[in-house]
Amino acid sequence: MWTIFATSMKRKLQNPVVFVNYILLPLLLILILGNALSGVFQTGDKETKSTFVSQISTVVVNEDSGDVGKNIVSFLSSENNKEMFDVKVESSSTQALKMLESGEVEQYIYLPKDLTSEYEDKKNGNIMVYGKDNNIEKVNITDLALSAYGDGYLAMEVASTNNPNIVYSHEYSNMLAAPGTTTEASTESGSNISAMSYYGVTMLVLILVYGLANTMNFVQEEYSEALGDRYLVSPISKTALIMGQFLTGCTISILQGAVIVFCAKLFFNVSYGDNMMFVFFIIIAGSIFFNALGLLLGVIGRRIKQVDGVVTLLIPVMTFVGGGFVKLDMGELSSISINEVFQRPMFDYIGQGVIDLMPVFTALIAAMGFVLIAVYSLTRKEAR
């Protein structure tokens, strides 16, 4: 088996097609598509920036003479929260309501006089936030901020029972967006990936898909033609011959994938995430799966000659449906693309830091089945 592997590797690596078609062309596609379609990936960022709302102009009336009211006013007007709140403090509720009605402020926060005493008595204090209907989102965000502060205040009190030096501070980013718009946090998975990184992933997976040609060609051409005659008269068993070629195909695919990742990072600053071991695991798993699939398709192609043409057609179709050429949301249709099995875990990891390898493990189990079927089909006594 190892003799077959060494001989095949030498012959494959001397073939310029391996480098031109399967390394240089994907790198060119990353460069061309990444630059030509970069606007598709920047749309979400531009929309996010344009939908941030400025400070919420707020008037606060604090009738509470205790620490709770003072602390809430300090929290709202602190340096950390100036990006979110523009706070004015008034002593008169009547004046505050006039400021709200005239449009001088967008919301009015009222802290009742019994706030501290209710807190000390373990009762729920009522902080009132007033605003006009057109500013209801801002009022809701303020409610959320005050609620979070209240939770933190309670935690501070509990902790300070044993350690009076503990201090908690709160800082809130501007989470407000205009109605009907989408912020960066709610965009679809992978939308925060740059164009170069997106095509760095899809072209890498495309090369892994084309790895099935390694073993398909072996079964359909080398094994069945003159080179196969020389293989079969050698003292090497059929199983060793097939596994040697399978190992060759996997190694070629792994080398191609590794070179693409290295060159894409070096020349185009493509990001594949922080953990490169995850990326190389995807490369290895994809190489095994697609070369195993190539073995099976090669066996089928010996009987059905149209298989080669169908596979040649399906590869770009699967890549397109999976968003490999143009970033499109195909919905459930994208799930039929075999590319998604290896693309989606990489997008989830790069964009969200989430590692979900269940589809990849399922593909590896399927690959074992493909290899067993192919070996059985090619090593039967009546088989060539």
Side-chain angles (χ1 to χ4, degrees):
M1 182 178 77
W2 295 109
T3 302
I4 293 293
F5 169 71
T7 302
S8 299
M9 280 295 297
K10 181 179 179 180
R11 187 162 46 84
K12 293 279 187 181
L13 292 175
Q14 290 175 343
N15 186 355
V17 174
V18 172
F19 291 95
V20 175
N21 285 355
Y22 296 152
I23 294 178
L24 293 182
L25 286 182
L27 289 173
L28 286 174
L29 284 173
I30 293 173
L31 177 63
I32 295 169
L33 293 175
N35 284 295
L37 300 177
S38 59
V40 175
F41 296 81
Q42 295 171 357
T43 302
D45 294 336
K46 291 178 179 178
E47 184 179 71
T48 300
K49 293 176 182 177
S50 65
T51 58
F52 278 123
V53 177
S54 59
Q55 290 176 307
I56 310 172
S57 57
T58 304
V59 60
V60 180
V61 173
N62 178 24
E63 294 187 354
D64 179 43
S65 58
D67 291 337
V68 175
K70 293 176 182 178
N71 289 336
I72 291 175
V73 173
S74 298
F75 162 71
L76 294 171
S77 56
S78 66
E79 287 293 327
N80 288 339
N81 291 319
K82 277 193 173 179
E83 181 184 350
M84 189 171 181
F85 299 110
D86 178 16
V87 177
K88 297 177 183 178
V89 179
E90 287 287 339
S91 58
S92 170
S93 297
T94 304
Q95 178 61 27
L97 286 171
K98 287 181 180 179
M99 293 172 67
L100 178 63
E101 291 172 358
S102 65
E104 185 177 345
V105 295
E106 295 171 302
Q107 64 182 14
Y108 158 40
I109 300 176
Y110 174 67
L111 308 178
K113 60 182 179 180
D114 53 357
L115 196 59
T116 299
S117 61
E118 288 184 343
Y119 170 75
E120 291 173 349
D121 293 337
K122 311 298 183 184
K123 296 179 181 178
N124 292 327
N126 292 319
I127 300 175
M128 306 301 296
V129 183
Y130 301 93
K132 295 183 179 180
D133 289 344
N134 59 340
N135 290 321
I136 191 63
E137 287 187 356
K138 298 180 180 181
V139 172
N140 289 338
I141 290 296
T142 302
D143 282 337
L144 177 63
L146 290 172
S147 176
Y149 174 77
D151 293 340
Y153 194 86
L154 289 172
M156 179 181 68
E157 287 295 313
V158 172
S160 63
T161 301
N162 298 319
N163 186 355
N165 295 321
I166 291 179
V167 176
Y168 288 83
S169 62
H170 300 264
E171 181 176 353
Y172 295 87
S173 60
N174 191 331
M175 297 180 291
L176 301 180
T181 59
T182 304
T183 62
E184 185 175 8
S186 62
T187 51
E188 64 174 304
S189 173
S191 62
N192 56 337
I193 298 177
S194 69
M196 285 295 187
S197 296
Y198 182 87
Y199 288 111
V201 170
T202 58
M203 291 302 107
L204 170 61
V205 173
L206 179 60
I207 285 310
L208 297 179
V209 174
Y210 273 113
L212 58 83
N214 295 327
T215 44
M216 273 191 73
N217 290 340
F218 159 69
V219 176
Q220 290 182 314
E221 298 173 11
E222 297 178 4
Y223 187 79
S224 301
E225 296 179 359
L227 184 57
D229 292 335
R230 294 200 295 272
Y231 282 146
L232 294 176
V233 296
S234 68
I236 300 173
S237 68
K238 288 184 178 180
T239 301
L241 170 62
I242 296 166
M243 294 308 297
Q245 291 289 351
F246 174 67
L247 185 59
T248 300
C250 291
T251 304
I252 291 293
S253 294
I254 291 170
L255 288 175
Q256 289 170 338
V259 170
I260 286 175
V261 169
F262 176 77
C263 292
K265 288 180 68 68
L266 180 64
F267 298 117
F268 307 139
N269 197 30
V270 170
S271 172
Y272 289 98
D274 297 328
N275 188 353
M276 292 306 298
M277 294 302 296
F278 174 80
V279 178
F280 285 118
F281 174 76
I282 294 292
I283 292 174
I284 293 170
S287 300
I288 293 172
F289 175 79
F290 288 111
N291 278 277
L293 180 60
L295 270 181
L296 181 62
L297 292 174
V299 171
I300 297 173
R302 297 178 76 189
R303 295 179 176 274
I304 306 174
K305 300 302 181 182
Q306 293 83 0
V307 167
D308 191 48
V310 172
V311 171
T312 302
L313 176 64
L314 280 180
I315 289 176
V317 170
M318 289 287 187
T319 303
F320 177 79
V321 172
F325 297 125
V326 181
K327 187 182 179 185
L328 297 173
D329 183 8
M330 304 294 287
E332 292 297 323
L333 186 61
S334 63
S335 61
I336 70 171
S337 171
I338 202 168
N339 303 52
E340 277 286 282
V341 174
F342 300 94
Q343 284 178 183
R344 184 50 47 195
M346 294 186 70
F347 286 142
D348 289 343
Y349 173 67
I350 297 171
Q352 305 173 37
V354 175
I355 295 179
D356 180 13
L357 292 175
M358 186 57 66
V360 179
F361 289 135
T362 303
L364 287 175
I365 294 172
M368 293 176 59
F370 297 160
V371 172
L372 290 175
I373 294 171
V375 170
Y376 172 76
S377 300
L378 293 173
T379 54
R380 290 177 302 155
K381 288 184 178 181
E382 63 272 21
R384 163 67 160 79

